[in-house]
Amino acid sequence: YETRESSNPIKWTMTDDTITIGGYLCKTANAEVHGKKWIVRYAEDIPSTAGPWKLGGLPGLILLAEDADGIHSFCAEDMNYVTTPIFYEHNAITIKTSEKELIKQRNKIFGNRLYAKNPLYYIDRNTMYKNADEVICEMEGKYFSLINGIIEKDKAHKYQPLELK
């Protein structure tokens, strides 16, 4: 799927809290993004307005981001300075959709109770997929993940979307 997102700046509220992460003094800010409240720690010593996922726009790189519910968190573990071009690869089967519809569809699939127990419920049952050392296969109407020959099953969880709206 392909969508265009609005580029509205995030309305951050700065606080006086500080913490040191990876040797960098980080300041704290919070905001609501896509219906979730986020608390982030950013380092002004790293001159970048970037951050994980869709978070950014602060006067320093976001090194830690956590949602107020304690469900999602992003934390920088390492940094490398590299120069790499960013490119867009168009695919002939790309489906263009609105941001709102993409979020709605993704939450519908991942939020379906079947997805938690059987993430491949919507994929052709006669198909087997291999990715590195992991093989997804069907046995007795259920899908299992074989990792290095060990069956991983019943890893059901409740989908917790990053974007509520």
Side-chain angles (χ1 to χ4, degrees), residues 55-114:
L55 305 173
L58 289 163
L61 182 67
I62 297 173
L63 297 180
L64 176 66
E66 300 172 303
D67 75 336
D69 298 326
I71 296 170
H72 301 285
S73 66
F74 300 95
C75 185
E77 291 186 6
D78 192 16
M79 269 191 291
N80 295 303
Y81 293 94
V82 296
T83 303
T84 305
I86 297 173
F87 66 93
Y88 169 75
E89 184 177 329
H90 181 73
N91 188 318
I93 62 170
T94 298
I95 299 169
K96 294 187 180 197
T97 187
S98 70
E99 178 183 16
K100 183 178 180 179
E101 282 300 313
L102 179 66
I103 293 169
K104 180 181 170 185
Q105 181 68 8
R106 182 180 55 223
N107 290 349
K108 178 182 173 186
I109 291 172
F110 295 153
N112 185 314
R113 64 182 179 78
L114 294 174

Side-chain angles (χ1 to χ4, degrees), residues 117 139 142-145 150-156:
K117 293 184 178 181
M139 291 186 332
K142 293 186 177 182
Y143 288 91
F144 298 91
S145 177
I150 299 170
I151 294 177
E152 297 280 327
K153 62 180 183 175
D154 298 329
K155 292 167 69 174

Side-chain angles (χ1 to χ4, degrees), residues 113-129:
R113 64 182 179 78
L114 294 174
Y115 182 83
K117 293 184 178 181
N118 181 8
L120 302 177
Y121 75 93
Y122 60 91
I123 296 178
D124 180 3
R125 293 181 180 271
N126 297 318
T127 308
M128 180 185 279
Y129 297 89

